[in-house]
Amino acid sequence: MREKVIVNEVGLRDGLQNQPVIVGTADKKAMFDALVAAGVRHLEPVSFVHPKAVPAMADAAELTALLPMQDPALHLTALIPNLKGYERARDSGYRTVALV
């Protein structure tokens, strides 16, 4: 049996959500593209949390609309805190979510 390690990149979400300056959607998309170009295939780019709780994730749906959600080579996950977050993630095209 071969062992397999999956690295799920969360920098676009976790790495940016507490920065003192909010990173714009276009810059997040550029970071996503650079990660994919580097060979990353499992990413958690957004969290569907209330914008007042985490302002840096207020553009989750907008960023998701720019991502190749149907690319079979990529596995994209959204972090959700509750049912409302799940509904927003589902409606944006995520088939996999992480629940906190």
Side-chain angles (χ1 to χ4, degrees):
M1 181 173 167
R2 290 180 37 179
E3 291 185 26
K4 183 177 183 179
V5 175
I6 295 174
V7 175
N8 191 43
E9 166 54 39
V10 299
L12 282 168
R13 179 197 58 75
D14 194 44
L16 298 180
Q17 70 184 6
N18 293 319
Q19 294 301 309
V21 175
I22 293 177
V23 176
T25 307
D27 289 332
K28 291 178 187 176
K29 173 64 164 78
M31 290 174 67
F32 175 91
D33 291 342
L35 288 164
V36 172
V40 178
R41 295 295 175 254
H42 293 257
L43 299 102
E44 187 176 289
V46 300
S47 178
F48 285 93
V49 295
H50 196 286
K52 287 184 181 177
V54 185
M57 293 293 108
D59 65 346
E62 291 80 9
L63 176 58
T64 298
L66 301 175
L67 303 181
M69 297 300 291
Q70 302 304 318
D71 186 336
L74 298 177
H75 182 83
L76 304 181
T77 303
L79 184 73
I80 61 165
N82 52 32
L83 179 59
K84 178 70 172 175
Y86 164 74
E87 291 168 345
R88 291 178 59 212
R90 180 200 60 210
D91 293 348
S92 293
Y94 287 92
R95 296 185 333 203
T96 305
V97 295
L99 177 64
V100 292

